Amino acid sequence: RKGIESSDTLGRHRWVVERTIAWTFNYRRLAIRYERHGANFCAFLTLAAALTCSKKLPT
């Protein structure tokens, strides 16, 4: 946010959000919303987040 954050950290928050959305859309079912009900979409979104986190954790 301009004027609030210093220039060296400007844009860092936006990059994290864009990267997270890109990871989410690697799952085709979420990129093209097949689900009619929001609860089903939310469940698949939660599953995708859990899978993404488990892949990104160091072993």
Side-chain angles (χ1 to χ4, degrees), residues 27-54:
Y27 298 96
R28 185 176 179 165
R29 186 174 197 121
L30 294 174
I32 303 169
R33 191 171 174 193
Y34 290 116
E35 309 306 321
R36 291 180 185 228
H37 302 290
N40 291 348
F41 181 75
C42 185
F44 280 113
L45 187 63
T46 305
L47 180 62
L51 289 172
T52 301
C53 286
S54 69

Side-chain angles (χ1 to χ4, degrees), residues 4-23:
I4 296 174
E5 298 176 2
S6 64
S7 61
D8 51 330
T9 61
L10 193 62
R12 187 177 295 170
H13 178 71
R14 180 176 177 174
W15 183 78
V16 170
V17 172
E18 289 176 352
R19 179 187 62 193
T20 306
I21 291 171
W23 286 342

Side-chain angles (χ1 to χ4, degrees), residues 53-59:
C53 286
S54 69
K55 287 180 185 178
K56 302 295 178 183
L57 287 175
T59 55

